[in-house]
Amino acid sequence: MGDILDILTTAAFWAAAIRIATPLIFGTLGELICERAGVLNLGIEGIMTAGALTGWLSVYLGADLATGVLLAALVGVVFGLLHGLFTVPLGLSQHVTGIGITLLATSLSYFVYRVVLPDTSSPPRIDAFPPVAAELGGIPVLGPLLFQQTALTWLALLAVIVVAYVLYRTPVGLAVRTVGENPAAAEAQGIDVTVVRIGAVMVGSALMAVGGAFLTMSAFNAFFFEMVNGRGWICIALVVFASWQPGKALLGALLFGAFDAYQVRLQQTVGSLVPYQLFLMLPYLLSILALVVMSRRAAYPKALMIPYRKGER
Amino acid sequence: MVRFGRRLALCMMGALAAGFAAADASAQDKVSVAAVYTVPIEQQWVSRIHLALNAAKERGEIDYVYSENVANTDYERVMREYAEQGADLIIGEAFGVERGARNVAAQYPETAFLMGSSLPAQEPNFAVFDNYIQEAAYLTGIVAGSVTKSGLIGMVGGYPIPEVNRLMNAFMDGAREVRPDIKFSVTFIGSWYDPPKAKEAAFAMVDGGADVLYAERFGVSDAAKERGVYAIGNVIDTAADYPGTVIASALWHMEPTIEKAVEAVRSGSFKAESYGVYSHMQYGGSSLAPMDPAIVGQETIDLVEEKTQAILDGSLVVEIDDAEPQSTL
């Protein structure tokens, strides 16, 4: 029993939790921005895949790491624009469009991959992001927790602060929140609902793509088919868990990362007594439980998934 | 004039038909092979089949086409398409579609099917193969057991299916052979391609004291490299990508299986049998990647060599155990 709890006190465990949480932080923030503006973006899984491919491929073809991340974000912006155009001015079903974007972005990524690398036995590796300050890694607790993480993890943490600040402390953030709550009121204030919504979806999608790029440029150093492996869908649930608030999104992602890091360690202590599938289920089960508890008081954006048509009563 | 013209036309048609027949005959020298993979060709397992088929194509023995990343729900349709197009030999993996694949094979008795499967062959044309490389896996276990200092070996797998289990079990037997008190920590990540997740599982094992990792999935060797522990490769040779980290690998060679099957199809003697044995060391279906004496020690290399001989002359039989491997408590 002692072993089981001891895991929680090791710095390596918390470092792993933050690492696992990083792509989820990006994805959840991205989805949160879209939904705050009133647009559900189910294209997230595909946009993360496209970001994972773009970031890795750019570096493989000679770009530096920062450029790779920027290009990944740019691809996210393009898919965001596509999703925005279909769902905002055309007012099409956000569910169907989102799933369509996921299928398109995923297949397109695989297609591009195969065109560039028609016949490989194992995907080529890139030099991924190094720890931000490996020499400080020896510092107890803070070393593994922060200094051995890569620049993208720092970017994710920074993004939480920036998104929270912009949403709550700037006119742009107010506009985003208003078009998601009451677009008619926003319109009356002279805010162009269409532009703000599409813009929010583009920015949100960029963050999702960077989350995908983390997988191929930091967590690992090559691209594989299907490697996003449902992380996008987890982000959708985390947004609800977070009650559409950036701070709670960070908390939710960290909690999920901690559950996941915990279950792999738990498997080693009591692994032969319990089927491994139960451990793999653990983060999802606990997330559902947390979701049930947290979402009771969640206030979702009032105009979420409702297309805005000018002048319509 | 008219009659002459008609006769000429008939002659020409005859000549054309003969020409086609000749072209057909020369095409028949080559066996047309179609492969249907449920995973991308980068996947370790399938990459070995792809490699062997490409080699046969290079030698001019076969025409080779393939479809990769075919979902199990699409599998039968793609098999049928290739059968309808007249492929002589269809190769694939029936693991997730055993019943469907066998049904399709029964409907195309003229076509030869060679499928990865843990189940027996099916008359008249459904032959099976599998990665029976437990002997080489056993030998890598000996290496792992010799180099570990902590006595704890971490093993990360995708899913506990027979193809994974039998190699893990043989590996564990080999390690116990040199060090009976050795402990294992076994984890499955529930995915074939989630290298970040495999890496996290491997990190957790190193944190728990493992100093040798069995790399069933991509990502494990990367964790070993970052943490400065050893890794044992599986199916493919990744030693060049991880020098000093991957110290031994059990390699699978599909060439003997493919050569046998292509020859059988060409000579018309293809039967519903198990080709599994052609993955054994005796037939060159598996081998051990070269090892560095500076890392694993000459004694270990000698021991492995001795066991290899015993396997080849039949005095040592490595057990095939498809049960799910368990962690040692």
Side-chain angles (χ1 to χ4, degrees), chain A:
Chain A
M1 202 59 201
D3 289 358
I4 296 174
L5 294 177
D6 279 351
I7 296 171
L8 297 175
T9 61
T10 59
F13 161 74
W14 288 104
I18 295 174
R19 243 186 347 253
I20 297 171
T22 302
L24 304 178
I25 297 174
F26 279 118
T28 309
L29 279 182
E31 184 66 34
L32 185 144
I33 295 173
C34 299
E35 292 190 18
R36 263 299 166 105
V39 182
L40 176 74
N41 190 351
L42 293 184
I44 181 168
E45 182 83 4
I47 293 172
M48 285 180 83
T49 308
L53 175 86
T54 310
W56 166 79
L57 193 61
S58 322
V59 175
Y60 171 63
L61 296 176
D64 59 43
L65 288 165
T67 314
V69 174
L70 278 179
L71 287 172
L74 197 67
V75 166
V77 165
V78 172
F79 281 111
L81 177 64
L82 193 64
H83 185 65
L85 287 177
F86 278 119
T87 53
V88 182
L90 297 179
L92 299 178
S93 159
Q94 298 182 0
H95 286 107
V96 176
T97 310
I99 299 283
I101 296 278
T102 283
L103 293 175
L104 173 71
T106 308
S107 310
L108 209 57
S109 302
Y110 297 168
F111 179 69
V112 169
Y113 175 90
R114 193 48 88 221
V115 167
V116 178
L117 298 162
D119 214 9
T120 68
S121 57
S122 62
R125 308 301 177 92
I126 59 167
D127 286 325
F129 277 99
V132 274
E135 64 277 10
L136 297 177
I139 300 174
V141 187
L142 275 187
L145 241 50
L146 286 178
F147 296 119
Q148 281 189 356
Q149 307 286 1
T150 65
L152 281 179
T153 299
W154 285 52
L155 187 66
L157 298 173
L158 187 70
V160 176
I161 300 168
V162 171
V163 169
Y165 179 81
V166 171
L167 265 185
Y168 296 115
R169 295 274 182 272
T170 65
V172 176
L174 184 63
V176 169
R177 285 184 292 139
T178 316
V179 299
E181 295 289 343
N182 190 340
E187 186 85 42
Q189 291 288 316
I191 295 169
D192 190 330
V193 177
T194 308
V195 167
V196 173
R197 281 190 167 177
I198 292 182
V201 174
M202 285 163 73
V203 171
S205 302
L207 280 176
M208 295 169 188
V210 174
F214 172 83
L215 294 174
T216 51
M217 303 175 74
S218 179
F220 200 62
N221 52 7
F223 176 82
F224 282 84
F225 286 31
E226 284 164 45
M227 76 185 286
V228 174
N229 202 11
R231 286 177 175 85
W233 308 132
I234 294 167
C235 295
I236 304 261
L238 284 177
V239 172
V240 182
F241 172 86
S243 304
W244 290 267
Q245 293 169 27
K248 285 188 182 169
L250 173 67
L251 183 74
L254 285 176
L255 210 58
F256 187 90
F259 288 148
D260 207 10
Y262 191 53
Q263 63 90 6
V264 287
R265 283 162 177 79
L266 209 55
Q267 277 197 52
Q268 292 176 56
T269 51
V270 292
S272 52
L273 302 177
V274 187
Y276 81 97
Q277 288 92 341
L278 284 179
F279 291 107
L280 287 181
M281 246 186 264
L282 188 72
Y284 299 91
L285 271 180
L286 292 177
S287 301
I288 291 173
L289 270 180
L291 201 60
V292 169
V293 175
M294 296 286 284
S295 63
R296 294 178 63 139
R297 273 177 295 165
Y300 65 92
K302 282 287 174 295
L304 181 59
M305 291 192 281
I306 302 169
Y308 178 68
R309 295 184 184 87
K310 235 179 193 172
E312 193 185 58
R313 292 161 180 263

Side-chain angles (χ1 to χ4, degrees), chain B:
Chain B
M1 194 63 202
V2 171
R3 268 181 73 185
F4 178 71
R6 195 177 284 165
R7 192 176 290 164
L8 185 72
L10 273 171
C11 279
M12 278 171 70
M13 274 165 72
L16 268 175
F20 276 132
D24 231 24
S26 72
Q28 259 164 15
D29 284 342
K30 278 190 182 180
V31 175
S32 69
V33 179
V36 190
Y37 305 124
T38 59
V39 292
I41 50 169
E42 278 81 11
Q43 210 267 357
Q44 294 97 321
W45 213 85
V46 154
S47 73
R48 305 307 286 181
I49 307 171
H50 186 62
L51 189 73
L53 286 171
N54 264 334
K57 185 184 166 190
E58 295 279 305
R59 291 195 300 269
E61 293 169 10
I62 60 168
D63 286 321
Y64 171 41
V65 289
Y66 66 93
S67 298
E68 59 172 335
N69 219 24
V70 176
N72 279 332
T73 42
D74 269 342
Y75 202 86
E76 291 170 52
R77 175 181 63 78
V78 180
M79 275 176 82
R80 259 179 235 282
E81 272 174 28
Y82 280 129
E84 291 287 343
Q85 284 169 22
D88 301 317
L89 173 62
I90 294 180
I91 295 179
E93 354 144 25
F95 301 110
V97 277
E98 286 285 0
R99 194 172 292 148
R102 283 161 196 265
N103 282 343
V104 173
Q107 288 162 19
Y108 296 94
E110 298 304 308
T111 311
F113 290 85
L114 177 63
M115 290 282 163
S117 166
S118 345
L119 298 175
Q122 172 182 293
E123 294 294 340
N125 60 340
F126 190 92
V128 293
F129 69 92
D130 212 342
N131 60 336
Y132 289 105
I133 62 165
Q134 64 283 345
E135 296 155 336
Y138 173 85
L139 297 174
T140 59
I142 292 179
V143 178
S146 310
V147 297
T148 177
K149 291 196 178 64
S150 68
L152 178 65
I153 295 180
M155 306 171 76
V156 181
Y159 294 94
I161 60 168
E163 289 62 38
V164 172
N165 297 349
R166 76 171 63 108
L167 306 189
M168 283 188 161
N169 284 322
F171 171 86
M172 291 158 91
D173 285 346
R176 281 195 206 100
E177 176 76 29
V178 288
R179 196 166 159 178
D181 67 330
I182 203 156
K183 287 191 157 76
F184 300 94
S185 173
V186 186
T187 298
F188 295 97
I189 60 166
S191 163
W192 290 132
Y193 329 84
D194 195 338
K197 193 161 188 169
K199 213 171 149 183
E200 285 302 336
F203 279 144
M205 287 174 168
V206 178
D207 291 342
D211 65 352
V212 178
L213 298 175
Y214 176 82
E216 206 272 318
R217 292 286 101 204
F218 284 118
V220 179
S221 303
D222 300 80
K225 190 178 168 189
E226 274 180 44
R227 291 293 167 88
V229 301
Y230 292 131
I232 303 288
N234 176 43
V235 178
I236 56 171
D237 191 0
T238 54
D241 294 333
Y242 306 94
T245 297
V246 175
I247 54 170
S249 299
L251 307 182
W252 186 26
H253 307 290
M254 260 300 270
E255 286 78 2
T257 310
I258 296 294
E259 278 161 26
K260 282 281 170 196
V262 168
E263 190 45 49
V265 170
R266 182 183 293 134
S267 63
S269 61
F270 188 85
K271 285 200 296 288
E273 57 186 328
S274 171
Y275 281 74
V277 66
Y278 300 115
S279 291
H280 289 187
M281 284 185 107
Q282 188 194 344
Y283 290 94
S286 58
S287 71
L288 212 56
M291 291 181 287
D292 183 356
I295 297 173
V296 299
Q298 192 57 43
E299 270 175 51
T300 308
I301 292 184
D302 293 342
L303 178 62
V304 167
E305 186 53 37
E306 185 189 310
K307 295 283 182 188
T308 308
Q309 286 313 319
I311 288 171
L312 289 178
D313 67 26
S315 59
L316 173 65
V317 177
V318 178
E319 195 197 346
I320 296 176
D321 177 3
D322 288 354
E324 183 180 328
Q326 300 287 349
S327 301
T328 332
L329 270 186

